[in-house]
Structures are given as C-alpha cells and as structure tokens.
Amino acid sequence: ANTCQRIGFYAQTDQNVCAGLPAEIMKACLLLGSNLGDREALLSQARSRIALDCGQVIKVSKIYETAPWGFEADTPFLNQAILIDTAHTSQELLSHCLRIEVLLGRERPANLECTYTSRCIDIDILFYEEEVCQTPQLTLPHPRLHLRTFALEPLSEVAPTWKHPILDFTAGEMIKNLGF
C-alpha cells in the first residue's frame, strides 16, 4: 500500500503522492554521491543546483571517500550530506533531485535489476522531517539508511539530533548499532 504520514505535523494517506503542500518550510537531508568524473566538482555543482531548485542549504557535511556499496568499482565514492529548508513536498523534492541528476549527466541503466552502478552523481533523500512514506517512487526515510555508514556518518554531522521516525535512533546511534 502507498502510505505517507508526517509525524508531528499532520498525517495524510494518499494513493499517489506523499503529501500535499507542506504546512511550513520543511527540513530535508540529502546525500550526494559520485564516483565518476571530477567527483568534487560534481558534488559542488549538485549543491549549487539544489540551492537554486530545492531550497536553502543550511548545513553541509565534510566529504567522505567510501567504497562502493553493493557492487565493485575501481573508483571510490565521494559522499556528502546536506541539510536544506524546502517549501517543496517530498514528491516535488524527489522530482527536482532526479532532474538535477540528469542535468549533471546521470544516466540510469536500462536494466532496472542493475540498481547499483558507478555514477557521476547520485542524490538521495535521506529524510524529509519525520515523514514516513512508501510509494513506488519514494520511500522515506531512505529504506537502507540504517545499514549504510557512508550515509549515517555525514548525516550525523548535519542533523545529529534527528531521530529515525520508525527506528527511533539518531544517526550516531545507528552507527553504533552497526558496530562502528
């Protein structure tokens, strides 16, 4: 079932979208990743486009160099989390992020079973306030966030007090649960 809730603000269920217009400016955390091309320049370009198209950038983590997750690649990823204030709904934010990926050269494989590949840019929504959402296009919080130190470490820098609305752990607590 496609369901969405914004815990602490309002709850809504809709078959097609996570939420209507946000009741206010919302905080969202995005994870940027790149392991092709000029990785640092691509992260910088993504941050600039996000500031133009998605909302005000509030905090930026340091850049982490990490091994690919779920596949083998010659080049490690650079990852960075950014916290933004946005007036967009979570679905609108996703559309903007996907468009920015395309503008920066992202090509998705035709084989949808091949989900983990090298890429020039990847922009994931880690969270959108405390919204819990599951549609064919978007799952919030990110469904594998609690398993990925490459996402949790930068997240803990930009939103150290944010708690996963389902697991009820901060990023730091989730890192400890992974044994790091």
Side-chain angles (χ1 to χ4, degrees):
N2 294 332
T3 60
C4 301
Q5 289 184 298
R6 186 164 299 136
I7 299 168
F9 294 96
Y10 62 90
Q12 176 176 337
T13 300
D14 189 311
Q15 295 301 311
N16 298 314
V17 291
C18 274
L21 293 175
E24 57 192 80
I25 299 296
M26 306 298 283
K27 292 221 180 318
C29 186
L30 308 177
L31 182 70
L32 314 179
S34 174
N35 79 327
L36 294 176
D38 187 341
R39 300 172 300 161
E40 286 190 45
L42 286 160
L43 294 182
S44 176
Q45 291 168 28
R47 286 191 311 271
S48 295
R49 288 304 314 193
I50 288 164
L52 288 172
D53 299 344
C54 300
Q56 182 180 359
V57 175
I58 303 302
K59 289 186 182 176
V60 178
S61 77
K62 71 180 184 182
I63 295 173
Y64 291 79
E65 188 170 62
T66 61
W69 192 89
F71 72 102
E72 300 286 326
D74 293 332
T75 308
F77 274 83
L78 293 185
N79 293 108
Q80 183 174 52
I82 61 172
L83 185 67
I84 65 169
D85 278 341
T86 185
H88 296 295
T89 66
S90 56
Q91 289 290 133
E92 292 167 344
L93 181 59
L94 174 64
S95 295
H96 284 293
C97 291
L98 293 172
R99 193 178 87 255
I100 292 167
E101 287 180 345
V102 170
L103 286 171
L104 295 180
R106 170 87 184 258
E107 295 179 7
R108 294 188 182 271
N111 178 1
L112 295 178
E113 292 179 19
C114 180
T115 57
Y116 299 122
T117 63
S118 292
R119 59 208 75 158
C120 60
I121 193 69
D122 186 38
I123 305 171
D124 287 338
I125 303 173
L126 298 181
F127 72 75
Y128 181 90
E129 289 281 344
E130 288 84 24
E131 184 170 287
V132 176
C133 175
Q134 188 163 1
T135 70
Q137 298 81 28
L138 181 63
T139 300
L140 291 172
H142 191 285
R144 289 169 296 286
L145 172 61
H146 63 289
L147 303 173
R148 297 175 166 181
T149 55
F150 70 85
L152 292 169
E153 287 177 343
L155 171 60
S156 70
E157 280 187 49
V158 299
T161 61
W162 175 80
K163 280 202 168 196
H164 194 291
I166 298 168
L167 303 176
D168 197 37
F169 291 119
T170 65
E173 291 167 335
M174 288 185 271
I175 291 169
K176 286 179 186 171
N177 289 343
L178 291 173
F180 291 96

